[in-house]
Amino acid sequence: MKRIFLSKFLLGLMALASPVVAQANELTISAAASLNNAFTELKDEFLKENKGVTIYTNFAASNNLLKQMEQGAPVDIFASADQETMDKAQAGSLITPESRKNFVENALVLITPKSNNTVKSLADLEKANKIAIGAVATVPAGRYAKTYLEEKNLWSKLESKLIFGEHVRQVLEYVSKDEVDAGFVYKTDAFVAQDKLNIVANADSSDKIIYPIAITKNTQNKELAQKFIDFVLSDKGQAILAKYGFQRP
């Protein structure tokens, strides 16, 4: 009887221990939607060099990812499309400040559908019926677009025409599917759908678009998380990012 009880007890301990062992080589990365293509390739290359590792990726608007972390979502690495969101993560003790690094720079562009005949320059935006940008409260690309339009004294003139996307890739989709006359996305987003759209103008504002990356405070795999960040910052990692239009900051 004792032997049966002991066997069941040991099996129970093994069951409890198994998830810990399984998670020892796992990472969950929450990254801005605009990083989707580049980080998917970065992940694949990292896994080739690190056998036995599992990486889960979660792409969304930076502020939405922050909210998920605030609500307890298990994340090991956070990469946002702006400094403001990462500042909030740091202020909320969600990341380890010493791990925070700026790893790429991006640019904002004005795009139109391939079939567009309405908007051929920034000056033509007032002729447009619908213009897509990211939701200003949650999508960094939306905030960058608002800053740019304010600096050009166009925000108040165009506000009634604006369609807000939940993330920058949704804005890209609106334009690619010819559902709006124009939109503001990152240069890297335009790059992955260049066969479906026109880049009408660069939309450079006073805000530089620098992406930070950091290890979260609650990670159980700090060494592996740091190894991935080191890979992102390496020449090989930066070469992969450059393929998708990103630049070194």
Side-chain angles (χ1 to χ4, degrees):
M1 190 73 173
K2 285 183 179 179
R3 191 172 298 171
I4 294 171
F5 175 79
L6 185 61
S7 297
K8 287 183 178 180
F9 178 71
L10 288 173
L11 285 171
L13 284 179
M14 288 172 66
L16 287 172
S18 295
V20 176
V21 173
Q23 292 173 9
N25 289 318
E26 291 182 1
L27 285 178
T28 297
I29 301 172
S30 284
S34 52
L35 291 166
N36 193 321
N37 301 77
F39 262 45
T40 297
E41 184 169 344
L42 279 169
K43 178 189 74 172
D44 291 343
E45 288 302 314
F46 183 80
L47 293 177
K48 287 178 185 177
E49 298 177 10
N50 296 273
K51 303 297 184 183
V53 172
T54 301
I55 295 180
Y56 303 100
T57 48
N58 177 30
F59 299 104
S62 297
N63 198 64
N64 290 339
L65 296 173
L66 174 63
K67 287 180 179 178
Q68 291 171 11
M69 291 165 58
E70 289 172 340
Q71 292 167 4
V75 178
D76 299 291
I77 295 172
F78 178 43
S80 76
D82 64 334
Q83 299 295 322
E84 183 179 327
T85 305
M86 190 64 80
D87 288 344
K88 290 177 182 177
Q90 186 167 328
S93 298
L94 295 172
I95 63 162
T96 54
E98 65 273 14
S99 72
R100 179 175 175 173
K101 303 291 182 185
N102 293 333
F103 69 103
V104 283
E105 183 173 343
N106 212 338
L108 197 70
V109 292
L110 173 62
I111 60 171
T112 63
K114 207 70 174 176
S115 59
N116 163 69
N117 290 312
T118 305
V119 180
K120 297 179 180 179
S121 68
L122 182 66
D124 292 332
L125 278 179
E126 292 187 61
K127 301 177 186 176
N129 292 314
K130 294 179 182 179
I131 303 164
I133 70 170
V136 176
T138 56
V139 183
R143 291 200 296 273
Y144 291 129
K146 182 180 181 182
T147 297
Y148 174 73
L149 291 172
E150 286 177 336
E151 289 176 356
K152 297 297 181 182
N153 297 314
L154 287 171
W155 177 258
S156 59
K157 297 176 183 177
L158 301 176
E159 194 170 1
S160 63
K161 303 171 183 281
L162 298 178
I163 306 296
F164 297 99
E166 293 181 3
H167 47 75
V168 71
R169 287 297 173 93
Q170 188 172 60
V171 175
L172 183 70
E173 188 175 342
Y174 287 153
V175 177
S176 299
K177 292 184 176 180
D178 206 359
E179 295 174 354
V180 296
D181 299 308
F184 286 92
V185 299
Y186 295 123
K187 179 182 176 182
T188 52
D189 296 301
F191 181 84
V192 299
Q194 54 190 314
D195 59 323
K196 298 177 182 177
L197 52 83
N198 307 308
I199 297 178
V200 173
N202 291 321
D204 299 322
S205 72
S206 57
D207 287 344
K208 291 198 76 176
I209 304 175
I210 307 292
Y211 289 44
I213 190 169
I215 299 171
T216 63
K217 200 87 166 182
N218 294 328
T219 182
Q220 300 299 308
N221 299 305
K222 189 173 181 179
E223 288 186 13
L224 186 60
Q226 185 60 59
K227 192 172 184 180
F228 183 83
I229 289 180
D230 289 342
F231 179 70
V232 170
L233 296 170
S234 71
D235 288 343
K236 184 173 182 179
Q238 289 292 306
I240 291 171
L241 287 158
K243 277 176 57 178
Y244 294 92
F246 291 100
Q247 297 179 331
R248 285 183 183 269

